Amino acid sequence: MAASRRRLRLVARPVPGGQATDRAASADRIARSAAHPGDGVAAVLGWLADLAERSWTTAERVPLEDLVGWSAVPGRGDLVHRTGRFYRIHGLDVTAPDGPVPHWRQPVIDQPEVGVLGLLAREFDGVLHFLVQAKAEPGNVNGLQISPTVQATRSNYTGAHGGRAVPYLEYFRDRERHRVIADVRQSEQGAWFHRKRNRNMVVEVREDLPVRPGFRWLTLGQLHRLLAVDDVVNMDTRTVLACLPLTGVTPDEPPDPLPTDDRFRAALRRSARAASAALSAELLSWVTDRRSLTAMQARRVPLAETHGWRWRDGRIAHHRGRFFEVVGVAVRARGREVDGWTQPMIEAVGTGVVAFLVRRVGGVLHVLVHARAEPGSVDVVELAPTVQCQPDNYLDLPAGARPPYLDEVLDAPPERVRFAATLSEEGGRFFHTRNRYLVVEVGPRGVPTHPDYRWVTVRQLDALLRHSHYLNVQARSLVACLHSLRHPNRGES
Amino acid sequence: MAASRRRLRLVARPVPGGQATDRAASADRIARSAAHPGDGVAAVLGWLADLAERSWTTAERVPLEDLVGWSAVPGRGDLVHRTGRFYRIHGLDVTAPDGPVPHWRQPVIDQPEVGVLGLLAREFDGVLHFLVQAKAEPGNVNGLQISPTVQATRSNYTGAHGGRAVPYLEYFRDRERHRVIADVRQSEQGAWFHRKRNRNMVVEVREDLPVRPGFRWLTLGQLHRLLAVDDVVNMDTRTVLACLPLTGVTPDEPPDPLPTDDRFRAALRRSARAASAALSAELLSWVTDRRSLTAMQARRVPLAETHGWRWRDGRIAHHRGRFFEVVGVAVRARGREVDGWTQPMIEAVGTGVVAFLVRRVGGVLHVLVHARAEPGSVDVVELAPTVQCQPDNYLDLPAGARPPYLDEVLDAPPERVRFAATLSEEGGRFFHTRNRYLVVEVGPRGVPTHPDYRWVTVRQLDALLRHSHYLNVQARSLVACLHSLRHPNRGES
């Protein structure tokens, strides 16, 4: 026993009790921040416009052959950086015997390192605020968008860029000293990335910290209102917001501080609080079942062997002009880690449609999620929006291949469209790639059922979001948009 | 809107409420079954012995060259079946810069298909019983062991063996008709399998069903008592038992039906019920942190290129004789799907040690889990036992590489050893591969802390077990063993 005595440094601390209560308190504080308009939306848009004038970035397409530091691996064609860092573009061979296209090949981004998307929170005058950054990314259609406090690849924080340290990253490293509100690894686009994950963190600090130029404290209410403006809240912010625990756990949590002045909002709030909404064995079993029965397999192949895709005119495109292209981009930027660079990016063809169908069942809002297999998923299937597609991609396919519920979304009368905004996908990897994000309420007649789709409550989504591998990035964006509908008078600033 | 009317088949059903209550009711019924001795342990052991006399299996090692239907892929050396089915053995290249061995290669089993481990439950006289099978597996040291109702690879149920249908499999397919108690995909040995998962299911039927020869209804109390007998309850049964929700969720659940006649058991039961034991943001953040900071990477390489391993004398072994061997096995069996076959298997060198250190903190039992990276893990790190090793493997390494807490486990005085049994790993893939499973209580002095280890309650483990990728298979076995300690008088039959 001498060995164990010698090793004795610290006696184990007891695990603190009352986490459920702690979580409810968190949810309550977050709900209070969601109800708070802060200094409004106009002020933030003005701040962004002002910054955009002073800091500038240009990003333009260049031929892949002109990229500096990037080249095709001889014999394979994979696009890699000379340092071997950042990411690479290789090919994927996908078999999906259950789907409308049973086999295909495609380019895919491989970025195995897990980055951090971190949002700092702090209470001012009893209201939680979140520190956001106005950030220029090469893929943004409009230059600056609102990003989390920290948006760092592992390359960033190990300094592979040879650039400056990432501001505020230290607050996310020292989790003992600050309070972790959310911390979960979540997937990114499974159609374009091979098993990419980022760490989504919200950390509350209880000390003063400097607000650097280009950063600003916002309430959740402000962020929610900004979500309704096209191309302002970037994808990284949306996914982190989705991981905020905005629903309660204990039956005795305090009442919702928001007034409920219409039935839709009341149903949404009930959905976020319903005691019935805990994770049921049945829901988890459905996810397990979809994962077990879906036979999609994806394996890596050389980029040069992605049949159906052609490297021509300085870019890699599908032979029918569908899906996406791999393009070169040259960036000149001030206020970024380095002053200029080139990189390959993915540019989607056309604007996609990403939509939740929602429905009131007994006064409780339910959301129709899709157990969707994507080639880049770590665990076969994640829960996706009801509709997630680029409608033009289906023009060559038989009518039966048209995505279920797409017509219900596209044909919905305006009064049933509860949310609509065009939002950008991540501007560090995707060039001018945008989706129309929609929350559409179905009529009292309902819609057909389908074994790959299921109605869930907002609280169930929230419970799943505490873990990896359940909600894909488009669904997480929509969860953030859905939460923004808790507010009355969304149009006001 | 004509399109949506045409598609209308069924109106969406509301999600049923009260799952938390449902789960507590489940937990209570399961606890009642755990308290019930059924027809005792001696009767089951007698039944096994009786069956062993009548059905026979022989499994013996043969040179890998003598396997029928299996061969090495030219140029790669990977061992594959001529049908391409079942599984294959290839090489893995592992980099683990944080570990005592920063780089190695090894053979690994690749079995991408997800099988089903299913346990049927039914209530008799108000007590849940579970239908087990006495099953011979080629790797078993003693012929028959207790297995779940269904233990089927996907090959089994698609009929790749050319054998008989798997009995009772239909109850696990029709989840609408029966009641799902647990259904979750869980990993298997991450040191020997590349990303292997099985689907762990417990399904309650409420109709009569025939009990086929070699099957028997047991209470959970019987299963728990049988866990203390060496090599009787097989690995597949143990992992399914671990996924049974044996802890409560609601504060108002009925009192534990078991008398509490000692402090250890009382602490164990409090640990399974403690309201403080919900999943905290802090616990989940710790898992996320370990996953994000661990740099282990594994990539597939040809078996012929696993440096340090030699194919010699009809088997593949490590050049120092450590770790495990890949061996050939010839099976003659009556009462199996087919009458005889050969297959490659893994045989561990020596008996391993798999142990939980446990500790009472404020009258609540806590378990020390290890965030362990294994090359075959799907998501880098899973929670493993405090100690999981084959001590001889560390003889060549520096003293600093000796696993933490191993000495605390091996040197523990007998009165602190709360559970000890030698149990077999899965007999379909592992030949005579056994571990000493231990639950060891640490003294009041405690043990040192370590950033990769953390004290958790039984209820926290139970909450994590509802999801994939959290507890590895050895930890799940130990959770089943830990639950078995709820009983007084474990020695009785």
Side-chain angles (χ1 to χ4, degrees), chain A residues 245-471:
Chain A
L246 198 50
T247 69
V249 162
T250 55
D252 58 342
E253 77 182 276
D256 195 321
L258 303 169
T260 52
D261 58 359
D262 77 36
R263 287 186 179 183
F264 179 83
R265 274 206 299 282
L268 173 59
R269 289 175 200 174
R270 265 185 229 113
S271 185
R273 292 170 174 279
S276 66
L279 289 181
S280 63
E282 198 194 350
L283 171 61
L284 295 175
S285 176
W286 175 71
V287 176
T288 299
D289 196 57
R290 295 297 98 187
R291 284 182 172 156
S292 301
L293 297 184
T294 303
M296 180 177 280
Q297 289 197 322
R299 73 187 165 86
R300 192 178 163 151
V301 294
L303 185 59
E305 294 171 18
T306 50
H307 316 310
W309 294 77
R310 296 180 192 141
W311 185 327
R312 183 188 287 180
D313 302 331
R315 59 202 171 90
I316 298 170
H318 187 254
H319 68 103
R320 288 184 196 264
R322 303 272 182 238
F323 311 117
F324 62 87
E325 298 183 353
V326 180
V327 302
V329 174
V331 186
R332 290 286 305 165
R334 197 164 57 191
R336 254 309 273 241
E337 292 90 314
V338 288
D339 289 323
W341 69 91
T342 63
Q343 64 176 90
M345 298 187 80
I346 278 182
E347 177 173 5
V349 174
T351 300
V353 174
V354 173
F356 270 151
L357 283 181
V358 299
R359 179 161 195 275
R360 282 175 260 166
V361 181
V364 177
L365 200 73
H366 283 67
V367 179
L368 190 59
V369 292
H370 175 204
R372 180 184 180 99
E374 293 184 306
S377 293
V378 168
D379 203 5
V380 191
V381 155
E382 295 195 9
L383 303 188
T386 323
V387 171
Q388 174 191 320
C389 70
Q390 208 292 70
D392 291 348
N393 289 341
Y394 293 84
L395 294 178
D396 303 328
L397 295 173
R402 193 163 169 82
Y405 308 109
L406 176 59
D407 294 327
E408 279 83 353
V409 167
L410 296 182
D411 300 345
E415 69 273 15
R416 294 211 187 280
V417 179
R418 296 293 182 168
F419 180 92
T422 302
L423 303 175
S424 299
E425 301 307 300
E426 213 271 310
R429 299 290 172 270
F430 305 115
F431 189 75
H432 295 194
T433 291
R434 306 157 79 215
N435 283 295
R436 189 77 179 150
Y437 282 84
L438 299 156
V439 175
V440 173
E441 195 168 17
V442 301
R445 275 202 315 268
V447 287
T449 58
H450 186 296
D452 287 337
Y453 293 76
R454 190 183 169 98
W455 292 101
V456 298
T457 63
V458 174
R459 173 136 168 229
Q460 284 177 315
L461 291 174
D462 189 66
L464 292 171
L465 277 165
R466 307 182 71 205
H467 307 279
S468 304
H469 313 299
Y470 280 119
L471 263 72

Side-chain angles (χ1 to χ4, degrees), chain B residues 420-443:
Chain B
T422 302
L423 303 174
S424 298
E425 301 308 300
E426 215 271 309
R429 298 291 171 269
F430 306 115
F431 189 73
H432 294 194
T433 291
R434 306 158 78 213
N435 283 296
R436 189 76 178 152
Y437 282 85
L438 299 156
V439 175
V440 173
E441 195 168 17
V442 301

Side-chain angles (χ1 to χ4, degrees), chain A residues 19 183 195 276 285 467 470, chain B residues 19 183 195 276 285 467 470:
Chain A
Q19 290 97 337
D183 185 6
R195 299 190 168 151
S276 66
S285 176
H467 307 279
Y470 280 119
Chain B
Q19 290 97 335
D183 185 6
R195 299 189 169 152
S276 66
S285 175
H467 307 280
Y470 280 120

